[in-house]
Amino acid sequence: MSKAGTIAWRELMSPKPEDSERFYSELFAWKIKAVPFGPTTYRLVDCGPKQIAGIMQFEKAGVPPYWVSYVNVDDVDAAAQRAKDAGGVIANECMDIPNVGRFAVLLDPMNAVTVAFKSANPSPESSERPVPGEFCWEQTNTTDPNKAAAFYEKVYGWKATGFDADPRIKIFTAGDKQVATMMQAPPGVPAHWLTYVAVAKLADARDRVKRLGGKIMVDEIPVPKMGLISVIQDNVGAALGLFEAQM
């Protein structure tokens, strides 16, 4: 069965990968190792037995560090063309990573970034509930929800539906799977995507963030029938969501 539309991978674009490794290895007890990647290195992130993310050296004037989510597609080139046709931008043309897969970096019409990805090594989907330290959700805070909904439906096949517990939120689904949420960005905040990591205790995680040189951007917000969220900025300036599930 195709996994098209589901989240495949997360990646931190960091100007200081060594500092990022120190921060996240203590914040979430991630095991991180550097591997050769062309003329540089790439850091692979393990949470327990699962490989869940990567950290890449990245520095570009005017672009802050950020986490980006990869979305499974059946055809990367076709997804990139759909993004262009829908008013988006192909920020990085379709490329192959030997023995890994093919990808393209896409900007939606409001300049929020995702990566279309097809793996060279398909693996079965996991139905397990994320444990502390694993990624658990994505959200786009957008300056134009109607344009965003139309764009992601065309590019990834997502359908935007209402969320009964909060009318400000729309839920993106891929087939019968919920994959992300969408909200109106606060005034003056550029459109962006935010990925979330599950934690056992939100208050404890926030304390670790501050001790490790990060900042708390949003202290704590209850999500009805789901749990609590916070938004942090790590020690290199990338934003990340934290989620404590309601027991």
Side-chain angles (χ1 to χ4, degrees):
M1 180 180 291
S2 171
K3 297 190 291 184
T6 60
I7 305 302
W9 189 248
R10 284 88 170 181
E11 191 169 80
L12 174 60
M13 311 301 284
S14 170
K16 298 178 180 179
E18 298 87 354
D19 290 352
S20 296
E21 179 177 343
R22 285 192 291 270
F23 181 87
Y24 286 106
S25 61
E26 188 164 348
L27 178 61
F28 298 130
W30 285 348
K31 302 299 182 185
I32 303 173
K33 63 179 179 181
V35 297
F37 186 70
T40 181
T41 57
Y42 187 82
R43 283 169 166 78
L44 291 168
V45 176
D46 291 344
C47 178
K50 297 181 183 178
Q51 196 165 91
I52 61 170
I55 301 173
M56 176 175 280
Q57 173 80 44
F58 173 82
E59 211 161 357
K60 185 176 180 180
V63 180
Y66 65 98
W67 280 96
V68 64
S69 300
Y70 284 53
V71 183
N72 285 306
V73 297
D74 292 328
D75 185 324
V76 171
D77 298 73
Q81 186 60 52
R82 291 195 298 271
K84 189 174 180 180
D85 293 343
V89 173
I90 305 172
N92 193 93
E93 294 290 342
C94 304
M95 293 180 60
D96 290 316
I97 306 174
N99 302 315
V100 174
R102 188 165 177 81
F103 76 99
V105 180
L106 308 177
L107 300 180
D108 71 16
M110 288 64 65
N111 290 324
V113 60
T114 56
V115 176
F117 177 71
K118 183 173 183 180
S119 177
N121 306 288
S123 59
E125 283 187 78
S126 173
S127 59
E128 297 175 3
R129 184 174 180 174
V131 301
E134 291 183 9
F135 290 92
C136 58
W137 197 247
E138 327 298 310
Q139 179 165 299
T140 182
N141 297 307
T142 181
T143 52
D144 193 325
N146 291 331
K147 276 188 180 180
F151 177 85
Y152 290 109
E153 180 173 359
K154 185 164 188 176
V155 177
Y156 296 132
W158 292 348
K159 304 292 185 183
T161 59
F163 180 45
D164 292 341
D166 191 332
R168 299 170 299 173
I169 297 174
K170 296 291 185 182
I171 298 176
F172 282 124
T173 57
D176 62 351
K177 295 185 179 298
Q178 296 182 349
V179 294
T181 42
M182 174 176 64
M183 287 188 68
Q184 176 78 45
V189 176
H192 61 280
W193 277 91
L194 187 67
T195 189
Y196 283 80
V197 175
V199 297
K201 293 293 182 182
L202 202 54
D204 293 346
R206 289 197 304 268
D207 287 343
R208 291 196 299 275
V209 167
K210 289 183 284 189
R211 177 169 51 82
L212 293 167
K215 298 178 181 177
I216 309 302
M217 301 174 72
V218 177
D219 189 69
E220 188 170 294
I221 298 176
V223 181
K225 301 180 181 179
M226 295 184 69
L228 302 170
I229 62 171
S230 291
V231 180
I232 65 135
Q233 188 178 66
D234 68 17
N235 62 332
V236 301
L240 183 73
L242 306 178
F243 174 69
E244 177 187 332
Q246 185 178 60
M247 302 304 290

